Amino acid sequence: LSFHHNENNEWLRYGGGIFLVDVSGGTISGNRAVQQMNGLLMTRCDHLRIEENNFSFNSGLGIGLYRSSYNVIVGNRIDYNVRGYNHRFFHRGQDSAGLLVYEQSSHNIIAYNSVTHGGDGLFIWAGQTTMDSGKGGVNDNLIFKNDFSFAPENGIEATFSRNIFIGNRADGCDYGLWGGYSFESKIIGNMFQQNRFGIAIEHGQDNRIVSNIFENDTVAISLWANPIEPSDWGYPKYRDTRSRDYAIESNLFSHHRIGIKALNTSNLSLSKNRFSDVDTMTVLKDTSGFTSIDNTLA
């Protein structure tokens, strides 16, 4: 199950409920596509409104976007889109997801959807174009007030891109938000609860993590950079991929083993955060430019 290439409509090999190519403008509302491979797949589509549909219980994707921008996805049921998972026995998502936003899909609004129990809840990937050239990305999408809970992998996976996440929920996942190589992203007012990691970002830059609630995660926030990156990626040859310049402000942390963990990270600023029943507030290694202002530990 790989959605990485679709320039020649490779996604058609999977099948599903609705497949749209080069559609501009319109409404998709009140449809039901369940218990198949995919619910709705969109390639090079824009200015569509997708609302109040049920794309649940599929083994691939609930909704998938490829080079599709300026769409509104609001008020849908996109639950239990997962494969390779057997409760208590086998725990993998295998690139299934409730909502997939891939390859230069930008400026979409994704709001008030139920996207629970997917392999990933939301899976964002910049695309092969960005991986090869360092240009573009799945950028400037607004992810607002969705529920991405109970994913065996990531409630939200958002990589190599810049996006805004406001007021979402990710409970009971392996990672609440995995943000590898995310840059200039805003993570504001979300709830992360009972995940193994609340937020984990490798090789990220200029990200703001503000006014979120973290409860009962093993590690609330983990930031790091690896000394060696994959040699077959073009991206790190063209982009700054240091872990740097984080603002973590006005968050509430409670009942964690570790609040914030940083490795090989520079210019990490903590301010006005509250830590309650946290075994260790910060664990820092090979990290420079660290500031801590007006944080409280109880």
Side-chain angles (χ1 to χ4, degrees), residues 8-298:
N8 297 306
N9 289 332
E10 287 91 340
W11 283 11
L12 272 173
R13 70 187 185 273
Y14 294 129
I18 301 171
F19 192 91
L20 304 179
V21 180
D22 297 319
V23 176
S24 181
T27 300
I28 301 170
S29 180
N31 299 282
R32 182 173 181 269
V34 301
Q35 293 183 323
Q36 49 200 312
M37 180 61 83
N38 303 296
L40 166 65
L41 299 180
M42 300 163 51
T43 302
R44 297 184 302 275
C45 296
D46 63 83
H47 296 93
L48 292 171
R49 186 174 181 88
I50 301 155
E51 62 180 345
E52 298 182 3
N53 301 281
N54 185 356
F55 299 126
S56 303
F57 296 99
N58 300 295
S59 59
L61 306 174
I63 299 175
L65 278 64
Y66 190 94
R67 294 191 182 273
S68 294
S69 300
Y70 297 99
N71 300 288
V72 176
I73 301 174
V74 60
N76 300 279
R77 290 181 59 193
I78 320 173
D79 302 314
Y80 290 94
N81 293 283
V82 63
R83 71 198 308 256
Y85 178 81
N86 192 318
H87 190 56
R88 297 181 182 174
F89 294 97
F90 187 60
H91 190 82
R92 291 187 62 195
Q94 295 181 297
D95 278 351
S96 59
L99 182 56
L100 181 75
V101 184
Y102 245 37
E103 182 68 59
Q104 318 306 313
S105 294
S106 299
H107 301 285
N108 297 288
I109 297 173
I110 299 167
Y112 298 107
N113 300 285
S114 178
V115 199
T116 67
H117 301 86
D120 286 344
L122 169 66
F123 188 179
I124 290 174
W125 184 62
Q128 198 61 49
T129 299
T130 298
M131 294 302 295
D132 293 339
S133 69
K135 298 179 181 179
V138 173
N139 296 328
D140 303 316
N141 297 286
L142 173 61
I143 318 301
F144 182 77
K145 289 281 187 179
N146 303 278
D147 189 350
F148 297 117
S149 298
F150 307 114
E153 297 292 341
N154 310 301
I156 301 167
E157 180 173 348
T159 56
F160 303 94
S161 297
R162 174 187 64 236
N163 294 286
I164 300 173
F165 306 90
I166 300 177
N168 302 285
R169 189 176 192 103
D171 297 350
C173 306
D174 196 22
Y175 292 85
L177 188 155
W178 175 279
Y181 293 81
S182 290
F183 59 92
E184 298 173 11
S185 291
K186 296 178 176 64
I187 304 167
I188 302 171
N190 303 279
M191 166 68 85
F192 300 97
Q193 182 173 301
Q194 294 184 328
N195 306 288
R196 190 164 67 92
F197 288 84
I199 294 175
I201 304 177
E202 59 174 338
H203 297 275
Q205 306 89 41
D206 298 296
N207 297 303
R208 298 192 66 210
I209 302 172
V210 180
S211 299
N212 302 280
I213 297 174
F214 299 87
E215 292 185 356
N216 293 292
D217 305 305
T218 304
V219 178
I221 298 176
S222 181
L223 312 171
W224 76 99
N226 298 311
I228 300 174
E229 299 175 78
S231 60
D232 58 340
W233 286 4
Y235 189 91
K237 298 174 184 177
Y238 300 104
R239 300 288 292 264
D240 179 3
T241 59
R242 292 174 293 169
S243 178
R244 61 168 177 82
D245 297 300
Y246 282 91
I248 300 177
E249 179 182 344
S250 301
N251 301 281
L252 176 62
F253 300 88
S254 62
H255 299 92
H256 309 292
R257 292 183 184 175
I258 299 173
I260 298 168
K261 183 177 181 180
L263 171 66
N264 195 17
T265 296
S266 62
N267 300 329
L268 169 60
S269 172
L270 307 185
S271 62
K272 301 178 183 178
N273 300 286
R274 293 174 56 198
F275 296 83
S276 175
D277 293 314
V278 176
D279 293 346
T280 305
M281 190 172 86
T282 56
V283 174
L284 309 177
K285 184 177 180 181
D286 297 328
T287 291
S288 61
F290 171 71
T291 60
S292 179
I293 301 171
D294 293 332
N295 299 288
T296 61
L297 177 62

